[in-house]
Structure formats: C-alpha cells, structure tokens
Amino acid sequence: MSGETTITIIGNLTSDPEMRFTQNGTAVASFTIASSSRVYNKQVEQWQDGEALFMRCSAWRDLGEHVCESLTRGTRVIASGRLRMRTFDTSDGDKRTVIEMTVDEIGPSLRFATVKVQKAIRTAHTGHAGGADDPWATTAPNNNDEPPF
C-alpha cells in the first residue's frame, strides 16, 4: 500500500510466538524480535553489542500459523513488514504510544543455521483466487530428486 513505512529487521525471537484468534476466527501470531548491532571496539580489540531494539510483531492468517509451527525462542530471523503506531490508555489513565510491525514476510536466517523447507498444504479457504492451480503443489518426477526447473 502506498504511503506505509516498510522495514526489514534481522534479529532473534525473544520467546516462542503466541497464537491468538480474533472474534471472527482470524489467526494472528504475536512475537518480539530483538536486534542489536555488533561493533568492533579497537581500544579493547573486541566485538561488542550495541543497544538492542525490541520490535513487537504480528503475523496474520496462514503466515501467523506458519510462524507458530516453524519458529521458536532464540531463532534468528529476517522479517519484512509495515510499521504502525498505536495509542492506548493504561489502567492508570496515562496515554501510551507504541510502534509495532505487521509482518508480511519472515524466515529463519541461514547465516548460522540450516533448515529443511516443507511446502505448506493449502486448504480450501486459503486457495488461490479464481480457483487457479498451485504451480508448486506437485512436481514432475525425475531420477535425482531435484526440482524440475
């Protein structure tokens, strides 16, 4: 959407993602990504962590379900999404403003880990619009178990 602030953040999940459902049954996963810079301090000849940024995130619908099934506390992730600002009143009557990220894409970082990707099975309510076939649903058989492209 035009005019929205989009960012990409790389960091570690501070806890396991939590799944909730709205009143109409829409799935939403909530989690926090902690990101900090590493800088080399020449005076002490060591790498040091900079100040940490804790970004509260939400992932909706199938993405949220996949996040909860795939990612756990401590996982290093790369997430891209839209920033939004929310204002609320505390129980003491104070106004608070928070900046949160609505995640559009997320995955584990492969810099220090490996993963085996498994295609999610689509259900009737999450299929393509217009009933179009899913080109990734099946692959042509071959002799060396490699994708046919």
Side-chain angles (χ1 to χ4, degrees), residues 118-130:
Q118 179 178 334
K119 175 81 170 110
I121 298 172
R122 291 185 172 258
T123 59
H125 75 285
T126 60
H128 293 290

Side-chain angles (χ1 to χ4, degrees), residues 40-117:
Y40 188 75
N41 184 333
K42 291 182 180 181
Q43 294 174 346
V44 294
E45 296 183 3
Q46 290 182 13
W47 285 96
Q48 297 177 333
D49 287 330
E51 194 166 329
L53 165 70
F54 293 91
M55 180 62 67
R56 192 72 186 144
C57 301
S58 60
W60 291 81
R61 298 174 186 76
D62 287 350
L63 177 60
E65 292 179 16
H66 297 165
V67 165
C68 287
E69 292 173 12
S70 305
L71 304 174
T72 58
R73 177 180 184 259
T75 303
R76 186 164 183 82
V77 296
I78 303 168
S80 178
R82 296 164 278 133
L83 289 182
R84 64 184 170 119
M85 190 167 61
R86 184 171 56 90
T87 302
F88 61 94
D89 294 322
T90 65
S91 57
D92 296 335
D94 296 332
K95 272 202 180 296
R96 299 281 168 96
T97 301
V98 294
I99 296 176
E100 300 171 322
M101 180 177 170
T102 301
V103 174
D104 295 319
E105 299 284 340
I106 187 168
S109 170
L110 300 181
R111 186 172 186 186
F112 302 112
T114 62
V115 296
K116 176 123 177 114
V117 177

Side-chain angles (χ1 to χ4, degrees), residues 16-28:
D16 290 344
E18 295 178 21
M19 177 62 69
R20 293 201 172 95
F21 294 89
T22 63
Q23 288 180 347
N24 66 359
T26 304
V28 59

Side-chain angles (χ1 to χ4, degrees), residues 9-15 31-37 51-57 75-77:
I9 186 170
I10 301 170
N12 295 57
L13 296 183
T14 61
S15 62
F31 52 94
T32 300
I33 299 173
S35 178
S36 63
S37 60
E51 194 166 329
L53 165 70
F54 293 91
M55 180 62 67
R56 192 72 186 144
C57 301
T75 303
R76 186 164 183 82
V77 296

